Structure formats: structure tokens, C-alpha cells
Amino acid sequence: MKIHLTNVFVDDQDKALRFYTEVLGFVKKHDVPLGEDRWLTVVSPEDPHGTELLLEPSGHPAVGPYKTALVQDGIPAASFAVDDVRAEYDRLRRLGVRFTQEPLETGTVTTAVLDDTCGNLIQLVHTT
């Protein structure tokens, strides 16, 4: 068994697609119109047939309070593995990304947390 699809709830799918592709570097996999919204997924360019991230609209009434509570408590909605957290932090800062946690080393794990501009905190992680 392996993870096929996971999601983040986003306030604006177009804005999310731009951020997740142009800033974070993912590539669009599916973009299927579904009424006012879309089935919109991105994947890692390193694994185009791997786990898809669904940029899911935040329309359900439970999503707003859920996302607000996570952000207020500093809890990331998703975690992405990178080769070097410090290098990715520096690259993303140059692109104007706002971080809520600078790179932090805790034993063999280094993390940083960013604001995805769509209502979520996203953790970057590297394990040595």
C-alpha cells in the first residue's frame, strides 16, 4: 500500500497553482473542471507518477475553522521533504515567501515552516 493522493485546502485554486508550481516547483498533473471548481493536482517533477497533491477548494463550512485553528496553533497542513532545508529556505525567501519558522535543527531532523499564501502552513523537512 502507498499514498496515492493527499490534499491541502486552498482559498483560491489559481493562486494556489501559481504558488505550488512557480514558487515551490511542483508541476501540474490534472486540471479538470468541476462546475465552479476544478480537480487540480500537482506532483513533484522528480516523481511525476508519484503521490499527487490535490489543491482542494475550501468551500466546505468546516474547512475555514479547521484551517484557522491549524494556523493559529502553528500546525502545518502538509510536510514536504527537501534535500537541504537551509538552501530551500534561502531560495524561497529570495522569492518573497514568508516563513513562520526559520530552519530548526532537532537532532537528525531539520524543519522550516512557510505560509503558502492560500491559508496553510507548510513544513519543509530533511532527515539526515
Side-chain angles (χ1 to χ4, degrees):
M1 186 178 306
K2 62 183 180 178
I3 297 170
H4 168 71
L5 177 80
T6 190
N7 74 311
V8 290
F9 292 106
V10 298
D11 301 337
D12 179 315
Q13 286 185 300
D14 289 325
K15 181 179 178 182
L17 182 60
R18 281 189 304 275
F19 183 82
Y20 280 80
T21 58
E22 296 173 15
V23 177
L24 295 185
F26 292 105
V27 294
K28 180 171 62 173
K29 177 136 186 189
H30 296 288
D31 190 350
V32 180
L34 296 171
E36 294 180 17
D37 299 315
R38 296 144 50 197
W39 181 262
L40 181 60
T41 66
V42 295
V43 293
S44 169
E46 298 169 13
D47 191 9
H49 302 292
T51 304
E52 295 178 45
L53 179 66
L54 175 63
L55 303 177
E56 188 162 359
S58 295
H60 189 282
V63 173
Y66 168 75
K67 285 174 57 174
T68 298
L70 289 179
V71 170
Q72 285 177 346
D73 290 345
I75 300 171
S79 183
F80 301 146
V82 297
D83 291 333
D84 183 334
V85 170
R86 171 61 68 183
E88 197 62 20
Y89 171 84
D90 291 341
R91 180 186 79 81
L92 293 171
R93 290 277 300 183
R94 285 191 301 276
L95 293 173
V97 173
R98 186 178 77 81
F99 279 79
T100 62
Q101 176 200 304
E102 294 184 4
L104 175 66
E105 292 182 28
T106 53
T108 60
V109 178
T110 303
T111 61
V113 178
L114 61 90
D115 177 344
D116 78 348
T117 73
C118 302
N120 303 291
L121 299 178
I122 303 295
Q123 181 180 62
L124 303 179
V125 64
H126 174 77
T127 305
T128 55

